[in-house]
Amino acid sequence: MTSQQQKPEGLPYTPLCDRLGIDVPIISAGMGPIAGPELVAAVSNAGGLGVLGCTSMSPDEVRSVIRRTRELTDRPFGVDLILPARIEQGGMSVGEVASLIPDEHRATAARIGADLGVEPPPEHSADRAALGTDAEAQVEVILQEGVPVFVGALGSPGFVAERFHEAGATVVSIVGSTKQAMAVVKDGADVVIAQGTEGGGHTGHVGTFALLPQVLDAVDVPVVAAGGIGDGRGLAASLLMGCQAVWVGTRFLATEEAGIAGWQKAGIVAAADQSPVISRAYTGKRFRMLPNDWTRAWDEADVEPLPMPLQPVLAGMTLGTLGTDRGGREGVSMNGAGNIAGLIDEIVPAAEVVRRMAAEAAELLAGAGGHLR
Ligand SMILES: Cc1cc2nc3c(=O)[nH]c(=O)nc-3n(C[C@H](O)[C@H](O)[C@H](O)COP(=O)(O)O)c2cc1C
C-alpha cells in the first residue's frame, strides 16, 4: 500500500489493491492504442488501474505514451505488451516478415482489398518491427521509465520477469487455460489474469465461469477475472469466487476516452451478445471482434489466414493499419469486442464505468441484492 492509501469506505477492496496501490479492484485492459493515455489516466484517477496497450508501438512511442500518461495522472498505471512465444523471434521488421508471406496469400489479400475498394498504403512501414516481435526493446523502455505494473499477453513472461522484479514492478500475465496459468507462474508471474473465451481480443476456448475456479485452485498467486465483465454484477461474482480484481476491456471501449472512432463506439452500443465472432483475419490468432467486410472475405477465401506475425503484416500491407486508430474505416478496421457488448447501451466517461461498477458490486456484496431472500 502506498503511504497515503486508505481503504475506501464501503467499496470492494482486496490485498491486490494494496499491492498495486489502487482504491478499487478494477483494471482497464491494455487494448492497443485504444487504451491510450487518456483512457488509462481516467481509470487510474478514478481509483482503478489503467493499463496502456503498447504492442504496436515503437520503443520511442512507448516512452512517449508513458510520459503523456504521467502528465495526466500521478496514480499507478501499467503497460501491456503481447509477448512473442520465443524471444529469438524478436526484432523482425515488417519488410522481413513480408518476404515470408506466400504468393497465394498476397494475391488473396490484394484481391480482397481491391473488391473492398481499399487503396494500398505507401511502403513507409517496412522498417518498423512487426507486431509482437519488438518486445525486448519495448521492455527496456518500460523498465527505464519505472512503470510499476507490467502485463504480458500470449507468451511467457520468463525472459523479462527477473528484470521487472529487480525494478520492484509487478509482473502480470494473461492466460486462457489452467495449464497456461501454471506455466506463467513458474516463469515468474506475480498475478494471473484468467480470461474466458467470451472476452474481446485474443481469446482462448474455455468460458470465464468454468476457467476462474480452476485457475484459482491451480495457482497460489492472486487471480484477476476477465472476459465478459461489464458491470458490478461481474465484479461482485468474481470477488465472491476468490478473484482479487477484474480486467475489463469491452466495457471501456464505449467510453469517451477510448481511442476509437465514434462509429466503432456506436457499434459496441448497437451490438447484441452474439454479435462478436472469432476471426484470425487481422492478427493471425483467434481474436474476438465485431465482423466486417475484411473478416467475412477471409471466411470465404480459399486460403486460411496466416499465423502471427505474418497475417498482421499482410493485413497492414493491404489496409494500411490494423484499424485501431481514431480515424478507422468502416468495413475494414478491426473492431475488437467481447460478448458483453450486448449489455452496453451508452457511451460514458471511463471514471463513470469505474464508479458504477464499484458501487453496484459493493451493494451486491453487502447483501442488498434481494434475490436471495
Ligand atoms: C479492441 C480490443 C483490443 C485488444 N487489444 C489487446 C492488446 O493489445 N493486448 C492485450 O493483452 N489484450 C488485448 N485485448 C484483450 C483485453 O486485454 C482483455 O483481455 C479483454 O478485452 C477482456 O474481456 P472483455 O472484453 O470481455 O472485457 C483487446 C481487447 C479488445 C476488445
Side-chain angles (χ1 to χ4, degrees):
M1 191 185 307
T2 55
S3 52
Q4 310 83 7
Q5 202 183 344
Q6 301 272 325
K7 178 186 179 311
E9 207 49 48
L11 292 180
Y13 193 79
T14 68
L16 185 61
C17 296
D18 269 358
R19 176 171 188 154
L20 300 177
I22 57 177
D23 298 337
V24 287
I26 299 169
I27 310 177
S28 65
M31 295 185 285
I34 299 165
E38 290 75 18
L39 178 59
V40 168
V43 171
S44 289
N45 285 334
L49 184 82
V51 175
L52 290 164
C54 291
T55 298
S56 60
M57 296 178 192
S58 70
D60 283 347
E61 288 165 343
V62 174
R63 195 185 305 281
S64 146
V65 292
I66 291 171
R67 291 189 176 175
R68 175 70 188 136
T69 307
R70 285 236 161 84
E71 286 168 12
L72 300 174
T73 184
D74 55 7
R75 306 292 311 242
F77 64 91
V79 170
D80 165 281
L81 291 182
I82 292 179
L83 298 175
R86 295 187 313 278
I87 194 58
E88 313 87 81
Q89 290 176 338
M92 282 183 87
S93 72
V94 165
E96 284 167 327
V97 173
S99 70
L100 304 174
I101 294 174
D103 289 344
E104 218 182 345
H105 285 81
R106 282 174 185 271
T108 299
R111 188 211 14 101
I112 293 172
D115 288 352
L116 300 180
V118 179
E119 284 286 316
E123 284 293 314
H124 68 275
S125 61
D127 293 337
R128 278 182 74 100
L131 187 72
T133 75
D134 207 15
E136 182 71 54
Q138 293 165 318
V139 160
E140 207 43 54
V141 170
I142 299 165
L143 282 162
Q144 285 164 8
E145 294 295 316
V147 177
V149 181
F150 172 74
V151 182
L154 299 182
S156 160
F159 74 98
V160 291
E162 203 177 312
R163 279 183 284 163
F164 278 111
H165 288 153
E166 276 165 14
T170 300
V171 175
V172 183
S173 281
I174 308 175
V175 302
S177 73
T178 305
K179 190 175 162 194
Q180 283 173 359
M182 292 191 290
V184 296
V185 170
K186 194 159 158 264
D187 287 349
D190 304 305
V191 176
V192 166
I193 297 172
Q195 187 196 298
T197 184
E198 52 269 61
H202 288 126
T203 202
H205 298 264
V206 185
T208 303
F209 224 68
L211 182 65
L212 292 179
Q214 298 187 68
V215 172
L216 280 158
D217 283 351
V219 297
D220 58 4
V221 300
V223 175
V224 174
I229 296 159
D231 64 10
R233 290 172 293 183
L235 172 56
S238 304
L239 296 177
L240 275 176
M241 218 183 253
C243 296
Q244 294 209 21
V246 291
W247 166 261
V248 177
T250 300
R251 174 56 269 198
F252 282 110
L253 292 176
T255 60
E256 288 170 6
E257 295 87 349
I260 43 173
W263 63 265
Q264 289 174 296
K265 295 180 189 180
I268 300 290
V269 171
D273 51 3
Q274 289 196 90
S275 307
V277 298
I278 289 176
S279 170
R280 292 180 46 235
Y282 286 90
T283 73
K285 287 185 179 287
R286 294 160 45 87
F287 194 93
R288 192 176 293 283
M289 55 177 293
L290 295 174
N292 63 12
D293 294 343
W294 176 256
T295 62
R296 281 186 283 266
W298 277 95
D299 288 344
E300 288 157 19
D302 294 337
V303 291
E304 290 281 310
L306 293 163
M308 189 183 274
L310 300 174
Q311 188 71 15
V313 168
L314 186 58
M317 283 161 58
T318 317
L319 306 174
T321 167
L322 290 184
T324 48
D325 56 312
R326 283 177 195 274
R329 283 163 295 164
E330 219 156 342
V332 298
S333 286
M334 183 164 79
N335 280 320
N339 295 109
I340 200 67
L343 187 76
I344 300 168
D345 55 12
E346 59 178 336
I347 297 160
V348 294
E352 187 60 13
V353 172
V354 176
R355 194 195 62 73
R356 285 185 197 172
M357 203 179 263
E360 190 187 358
E363 193 179 335
L364 288 167
L365 291 167
H371 61 293
L372 297 180
R373 275 176 260 142

